[in-house]
Amino acid sequence: MLGEVLDAFGTLHLRSFVDCTLGAAGHSAAIIEAHRELELYVGMDVDPAVHDEARARIERLLAEDSRGSSLEAYTHVRNFKYIKSVLGGVDENLLAVGVDGILMDLGMSSMQVDDSGRGFSVLSDGPLDMRMNPQASLTAEDILNSWPESEVGKILRDYGEESNWHFLQKQIVKARASVGLHSTSDLVNLVRRASGRSGGREGWIKTATRVFQALRIAVNDELQTLEDALYACFDCLSSGGRLVVISFHSLEDRIVKQTFLDMIEKPEGDDDKGEISSGPSLLATESEAETWSKNRVQGRQGIVLTKRPITPTKEEEKLNHRCRSAKLRVLQKI
Ligand SMILES: C[S@@+](CC[C@H](N)C(=O)[O-])C[C@H]1O[C@@H](n2cnc3c(N)ncnc32)[C@H](O)[C@@H]1O
């Protein structure tokens, strides 16, 4: 959703920008190129291998950039929930002034999914790992083989939204009573057997995808981390600054939607406003039309610029199958 992200920051005079989820640095590179006024750039990723690749790309970009040293750029291997300490470390005054743009593009990068050794892919064999941060101690294998049975069931039900969760829970417990589950193939085969013939290949792949999503959320504590990070990001924004979040499943999107409304302090019972009534100080051109933002929700502390989330175009979905469930939401601080 590159075009949509550029649109969301497009009209801002962006002096400072934080990419909380570097990935392949595609969004970062596009923002750096599009915003010649940028003075400070900070990129973060919790995965050191991803970070190193992204950093190399940013360095190559800056080496060819005519701005030279007028753009300060930093990258960090950090979980985005620590954005305040990262920004405080870059410049102790930054938190008081705030940053003009923050992006969170959640989920996994292609580099992580395509590396079978990370255990994220349903379709290739690898260890039951699923850690975004390889230094973290908890793996999917730990959960499946040693967490209490009821906890395993709860993860499948709440994080996978899997209707067959109870049967799968029983099968997992049965498997660990014999040889255990040690590879992604062990888990996929268990799901295949549990799914029977119903739904065919598509059926068990969908179930396995939900089971993998559930375990990944639990291993990385993704939902609590997201909620905490959204509040932290809001605190880090300057007046008129924007937070853009792309999520990839309904559990994440629900958190983004609810937390945005909570952070802007929408007055109870107040009707949603169609227009921005106050606040934005960073618009490059006040009159510039932002046609992507049709429905807004005005609060005391901010404005949700996307009452309904922005979703990928049909063309984009065709080009990039993985983006089909993406939802983009934008908030502007007053
Ligand atoms: C979808 S990719 C980002 C792609 C990126 N926007 C691009 O243009 O290439 C998501 C990235 O977020 C990182 N990530 C996930 N959870 C994180 C967290 N809690 N803190 C920091 N990075 C995280 C992942 O390691 C992954 O590299």
Side-chain angles (χ1 to χ4, degrees):
M1 302 192 79
L2 189 56
E4 290 83 351
V5 168
L6 288 174
D7 281 350
F9 291 115
T11 51
L12 292 195
H13 185 75
L14 208 62
R15 291 158 306 190
S16 46
F17 175 74
V18 181
D19 185 348
C20 288
T21 49
L22 272 167
H27 285 111
S28 278
I31 292 279
I32 291 173
E33 279 174 345
H35 288 268
R36 308 300 298 170
E37 73 281 16
L38 201 62
E39 293 164 15
L40 176 70
Y41 163 84
V42 180
M44 277 183 256
D45 203 292
V46 73
D47 186 327
V50 170
H51 165 271
D52 292 353
E53 291 273 324
R55 187 186 174 88
R57 180 169 181 187
I58 304 280
E59 276 173 3
R60 281 196 302 276
L61 179 72
L62 293 181
E64 293 159 10
D65 195 277
S66 56
R67 272 167 292 190
S69 58
S70 70
L71 170 59
E72 280 181 62
Y74 303 88
T75 64
H76 292 264
V77 183
R78 284 300 282 279
N79 190 310
F80 50 53
K81 68 182 172 184
Y82 301 121
I83 182 171
K84 284 187 181 176
S85 86
V86 168
L87 296 188
V90 165
D91 177 347
E92 56 189 22
N93 297 320
L94 200 52
L95 288 176
V97 184
V99 290
D100 300 335
I102 303 179
L103 172 66
M104 298 172 94
D105 178 16
L106 303 169
M108 297 166 291
S109 71
S110 307
M111 192 176 155
Q112 291 164 323
V113 183
D114 297 343
D115 180 352
S116 58
R118 305 295 296 272
F120 290 118
S121 171
V122 169
L123 296 176
S124 47
D125 187 29
L128 278 167
D129 190 315
M130 303 195 195
R131 289 170 299 173
M132 292 275 185
N133 170 8
Q135 256 97 60
S137 52
L138 181 69
T139 66
E141 189 173 1
D142 298 331
I143 293 178
L144 288 165
N145 294 295
S146 60
W147 274 27
E149 179 178 346
S150 60
E151 286 297 311
V152 173
K154 226 167 104 186
I155 286 171
L156 299 176
R157 188 191 63 197
D158 296 349
Y159 297 164
E161 299 185 291
E162 170 52 44
S163 55
N164 206 18
W165 64 272
H166 195 247
F167 185 63
L168 285 167
Q169 168 194 322
K170 293 284 169 209
Q171 297 309 303
I172 290 167
V173 169
K174 217 191 240 179
R176 71 188 188 191
S178 54
V179 288
L181 294 160
H182 306 291
S183 68
T184 53
S185 297
D186 290 345
L187 181 60
V188 167
N189 289 335
L190 180 145
V191 170
R192 268 174 97 158
R193 285 193 302 273
S195 304
R197 285 171 190 273
S198 65
R201 178 179 154 85
E202 217 175 282
W204 68 255
I205 289 182
K206 277 190 182 151
T207 307
T209 303
R210 285 193 288 269
V211 169
F212 273 54
Q213 171 187 300
L215 286 165
R216 204 197 75 207
I217 291 175
V219 166
N220 300 290
D221 191 20
E222 290 183 17
L223 301 183
Q224 191 59 54
T225 298
L226 173 61
E227 191 178 331
D228 293 349
L230 289 171
Y231 285 106
C233 286
F234 188 73
D235 288 347
C236 293
L237 280 180
S238 62
S239 168
R242 287 184 182 175
L243 169 61
V244 175
V245 185
I246 307 173
S247 63
F248 288 89
H249 55 77
S250 56
L251 298 171
E252 279 175 348
D253 184 55
R254 211 173 297 150
I255 290 174
V256 179
K257 181 180 170 186
Q258 293 302 334
T259 311
F260 270 20
L261 291 176
D262 186 51
M263 293 188 303
I264 64 164
E265 293 183 14
K266 178 177 169 278
E268 276 308 311
D270 222 30
D271 282 346
D272 298 335
K273 303 285 192 300
E275 296 295 326
I276 289 182
S277 60
S278 63
S281 59
L282 294 170
L283 288 188
T285 320
E286 290 287 341
S287 60
E288 209 155 348
E290 295 198 284
T291 46
W292 55 269
S293 168
K294 293 188 195 84
N295 295 291
R296 303 172 173 204
V297 184
Q298 174 88 43
R300 277 188 286 265
Q301 303 295 335
I303 305 142
V304 173
L305 300 179
T306 45
K307 185 176 173 193
R308 276 183 287 283
I310 297 171
T311 52
T313 58
K314 288 275 168 284
E315 292 72 43
E316 207 172 356
E317 277 184 27
K318 263 187 234 153
L319 285 174
N320 178 4
H321 196 56
R322 275 183 196 152
C323 83
R324 68 195 182 287
S325 52
K327 288 198 167 67
L328 181 147
R329 294 186 185 269
V330 186
L331 172 151
Q332 178 164 303
K333 193 168 180 175
I334 286 178

